[in-house]
Amino acid sequence: MKSGLNQFLSLLLLLIPALLRAQTAVIPVETKDHVLLLQEDQQERIRTTYFGSAFTNQSDYQSVASQFHYDDANDGIYNAAYTPSGTWSLTEPAIEVKHADGNSSLELKYQSHTQQKQNDASTETRIVLKDPNYNFQVTLVYKAWAEENVIEQWTEIQHKENGAVMLEKYASADLYFTGDNFYLTSYHGRWAKEMQGKEEKLENGRKIIDSKLGTRAMLLQSPNFILSFDQPASENEGKVILGQLAWSGNFKLDFEVDTYDNLKFLAGINPYNSAYALPANQVFKTPSLIYAISNHGTGEASRGLHRWARKYRVLDGQGERLTLLNNWEATYFDFDEDKITGLFKDAKELGVDMFLLDDGWFANKYPRNSDRSGLGDWQENVKKLPSGIGHLVKEATKEGIKFGIWIEPEMVNPKSELYEQHLDWVIRQPDRPEVYYRNQLVLDLSNPEVQDFVFGVVDKLFTENPQLAFIKWDCNAVIYNAYSVYLAEQEMPQSQLYVDYVKGLYAVLERVRTKYPKVPIMLCSGGGGRGDYEALKYFTEFWPSDDTDPLERIFMQWDYSYFFPSIVTCNHVTDWGKQPIKFRVDVASMGKLGFDIVFSHLSEDEKVFCKQAVKNYDRFKEIIWHGDQYRLVNPHENDFSAVMYVNESKEKAVFFGYFISQRQRLITDKEPIKFNGLNPEKLYTIKEINLFPGKRSPLDSEKVYSGDFLMKAGYNPMINAGRTSVVLEIEERK
Ligand code: GLA
């Protein structure tokens, strides 16, 4: 009898895990309107079973998996939440490793998960997967911001094997979308032609967007993408996700329409020459894939992403920014102390907050009088600036403006003292000819000594000039001949260089921000070669392109605006293009306004216009920086373009409209433009501003319109060949 009971109890004990396992894990990653549903299958693997509108009843999540029958054979399993390689899956893996014993197989089984609310209004889901044969684990992490419908996901890889495990591929995300038609908008570019978007319907097979440039990674292809479901992406309707791999180095986005016509999407660091030796007990954290989801088109998705970026990501995203006058295009390398202090007066008269001294202020043995020499030697050039930076800061302060400065601390010209003294700090193949990009090479940021040097460049400037108000941090070269003396000395694989470079960069930025938490720093990369949400944790803004032709900018700013709020995009008025100054200033006002012109060369009327426009900007900038953006008329599809910004209470808005047709005579202002984002019940007046001296607006600023009317019938701002750019201030009439 006793032994019978014992037998029963031990059978029960044996059965408990099996009984528990009968209830497989169901893990919804939820935002306000959407859910990414992850479920454990009978083999204890986690699958993505649903991505779409959130369910009313949580209990229904359990039933989703049984509705799909994709597993006709093992090669048909595409929807693993993180596909391992070398075992049961023959689809494109998310992760490939070589264990410490040289074996290349990996299985990842569900162990446990947690879901916890965080202080930043997100909920963090952590799912632990383990290999039953090796002491190797991957944690899938999802942070979901309900209100903004934004998800950030990454993975954390660690092990306790006997020696290092070689990570050969380590994606950040492995997503799976069921459906019939998928449309991808990806972005391509080159210098001064960044962010050129193209939409295509994805067909069976793989489409890859990647970068192998090391630094300046966004130059040719961009880690930003729009995925639209069932129909091409549109602004106000349809299911879209709009996102980015947040990593300032080599990335890879891999879209595959599979044999079921579903879409598998892998995103992560580019495995190209990037195998990483992970020692036991250390965590390798992949970069984040960040995406906003909407069932109402790209407009709503962008606004969610913008709000998220301002609130939770970009440094001081809810703060203020400085308008400025920059001397780059005004002087290039040809300046001295008097010329610069003379420009302070222009900045003062123009009414901007700050003067920004660009490239060319440093190096003595090999003076920085062109881009051929001096990079790396960060001492004031005594001929150009005999009284030093301190003097300039003082003079600017006397004028009542702030002072900012340009640096490019990650780079070196071979014609420099730095190169002569520290050849081992330079990324180059020791036995091959050097390959230059803009006559320069990249410093090896995997080396802690180089990190100290780069931090020192910034630290010295701020220590010696505590009133320094701004830095423009440039990065103009890509990495050729990837080889690190430091990694060789440490006996670490050379294939870690691309990753350790970026990690080294972030380590420096972390130090900069620990010591100087708030000072605004602009991220620049020979135009728009860098600008991602990992870097923007440390930067307040970025430079989207050296192309400042306002006509081109209408397109480029439009395309950047899918992913970035206007507060982070620096737009400068320059002499590029053929447009009148009003057009140039209006376009640059749709972001963080700056000038890079010789103010004294303008006519009196132009000066009056600019000064008034800066005053107007100071009045409405709050709406541009912190309000919601509505893209109204797409320049890619029309002879016009229009964008508006609305403040949170919907009491105030600013509208920008442009005439961009090349066939001017045929186009008239025959139709109204439908506004968006207003309160239908509020009444508004509309006043044209930024008028050139002597011009009168044909628009009636006294007339009152309901928000309902302005959004349904629209409003005709009379944009035409004679009025190519129109700025309107819209205000609630109380
Ligand atoms: C890059 C930047 C420019 C300017 C120059 C200076 O090209 O994009 O704005 O700062 O460097 O050399």
Side-chain angles (χ1 to χ4, degrees), residues 191 326 328 333 358-359 368 371 406 408 438 472 474 476 524-527 543 546:
W191 178 74
N326 187 193
W328 175 238
F333 296 95
D358 214 284
D359 196 357
R368 182 73 172 169
D371 61 18
W406 178 98
E408 193 181 0
R438 209 193 188 211
K472 174 177 175 184
D474 213 334
N476 279 297
C524 175
S525 183
W543 182 240
D546 279 350

Side-chain angles (χ1 to χ4, degrees), residues 483-504:
Y483 181 87
S484 156
V485 172
Y486 171 75
L487 288 176
E489 281 170 2
Q490 301 297 309
E491 295 180 359
M492 298 208 275
Q494 286 297 325
S495 56
Q496 286 188 200
L497 178 57
Y498 287 124
V499 173
D500 282 342
Y501 182 91
V502 182
K503 286 184 167 186

Side-chain angles (χ1 to χ4, degrees), residues 460-483:
K460 180 166 174 280
L461 279 169
F462 282 130
T463 313
E464 290 177 0
N465 309 287
Q467 281 172 295
L468 186 67
F470 184 91
I471 280 184
K472 174 177 175 184
W473 179 307
D474 213 334
C475 158
N476 279 297
V478 300
I479 297 179
Y480 291 113
N481 279 331
Y483 181 87

Side-chain angles (χ1 to χ4, degrees), residues 101-116:
D101 65 5
N103 186 291
S104 291
S105 66
L106 183 67
E107 165 68 296
L108 292 173
K109 296 223 173 198
Y110 169 77
Q111 282 293 307
S112 61
H113 77 276
T114 53
Q115 294 198 292
Q116 249 171 15

